Amino acid sequence: MRKSNYLLTVMILLMSFAVPPAIAGEYVLIKGKGVEVCEEYGKNLNSFNLHNKYVMACERKINPEFTDFKKPEWVVVDLWENRKILEKIARFLGERHPISSKKVGKEPHYSYSDFQEWEGQLRNMIEGKYAPTVEEVQIDIDNDVNKENIIKYSDGNCPGGNYFGAALIVLNDNKSEIDIEKTKQLLQNPQYYPKLPNELLSRGWEFSMYDVFLYKGKSYFNRWSGNQAPGSKDKIDILKVFVTETNKAKKVSTKEICRYRFKSAK
């Protein structure tokens, strides 16, 4: 009898260790209640084990059970073969800006004066461990039926590094230039300070991790932001979803449709 009780106790203990950890939090919809895509996307987010507020920071995952959602099939870009457009993207983002040479944490931010010098810096980054990850996809990001060339430029160590960010850039048809007007629609960056004359359009993309998803064939993009910059009003427990649309008059506009706050379990 004692032996049976002992075996039963051991079995209960083993079963308790086999139980997966409880979900430590959830995303609560605070803007977009009643909007189908917002309600369903929230369910998708909360279908994962959100053991802390950083789980969805670097990439927002899609649960295969939510079949109305899809992720773009990003293709990794060869940095050296695409160095000419990469240099233009880096300048646009202020990533390797020619007027400032700085070091953030352990990650150097180079300055350069011409393309040849940029090539040297890029080679050093590729051979070292500071090279960005650049991915591309063709997708109708502004929902006007026509597909655009979209670049996702990810740099730094998300989310635990001293520096990180993932920006979305639209290129022209032959991928030789940045389409500034279409890219502007994707620059939904936090504004920490009043906008200054001649400042970079991309200002504020640092510590903002952008991603893209489709819902029932329509394109949306979202942004998770860290609050490392002084004066930030977008805390790290906020996740926003945006949609860019083109009306019959060919006017393009972007609006925030969903906002979620991460709520830790007590």
Side-chain angles (χ1 to χ4, degrees), residues 164-221:
F164 59 86
L168 298 174
I169 304 290
V170 183
L171 303 185
N172 63 1
D173 291 340
N174 63 11
K175 304 180 185 179
S176 62
E177 299 288 342
I178 298 173
D179 188 319
I180 300 296
E181 291 305 312
K182 289 190 175 184
T183 299
K184 282 180 181 179
Q185 299 296 328
L186 308 181
L187 297 176
Q188 303 299 315
N189 301 324
Q191 297 299 316
Y192 305 121
Y193 310 103
K195 196 169 182 64
L196 301 174
N198 302 319
E199 76 174 353
L200 294 171
L201 287 172
S202 62
R203 182 180 181 185
W205 77 276
E206 299 90 345
F207 304 111
S208 292
M209 303 297 296
Y210 284 88
D211 206 357
V212 180
F213 69 85
L214 284 79
Y215 180 70
K216 294 185 175 180
K218 189 171 183 176
S219 298
Y220 300 84
F221 66 99

Side-chain angles (χ1 to χ4, degrees), residues 3 38 75 91 108 110 152 158 165 258 262:
K3 185 176 181 180
C38 299
V75 177
R91 284 183 181 269
Y110 302 104
K152 181 161 68 170
C158 172
C258 317
F262 184 84

Side-chain angles (χ1 to χ4, degrees), residues 26-35 37-43 45-46 223 233-241 256-264:
E26 64 175 337
Y27 277 100
V28 178
L29 184 61
I30 59 176
K31 178 180 179 179
K33 293 181 179 179
V35 178
V37 64
C38 299
E39 298 282 358
E40 292 302 308
Y41 192 60
K43 294 176 184 177
L45 294 172
N46 290 325
R223 190 197 80 208
K233 295 180 180 180
D234 288 321
K235 303 301 182 183
I236 56 179
D237 56 356
I238 294 292
L239 176 61
K240 296 182 178 183
V241 175
E256 176 193 331
I257 58 171
C258 317
R259 185 182 302 183
Y260 309 85
R261 180 182 299 279
F262 184 84
K263 181 181 179 181
S264 298

Side-chain angles (χ1 to χ4, degrees), residues 93-117:
L93 294 175
E95 179 80 311
R96 311 283 183 247
H97 204 266
I99 62 172
S100 64
S101 178
K102 58 183 179 178
K103 187 173 183 180
V104 179
K106 297 181 180 180
E107 302 186 17
H109 282 219
Y110 302 104
S111 65
Y112 59 94
S113 58
D114 55 34
F115 183 71
Q116 286 70 33
E117 188 174 351

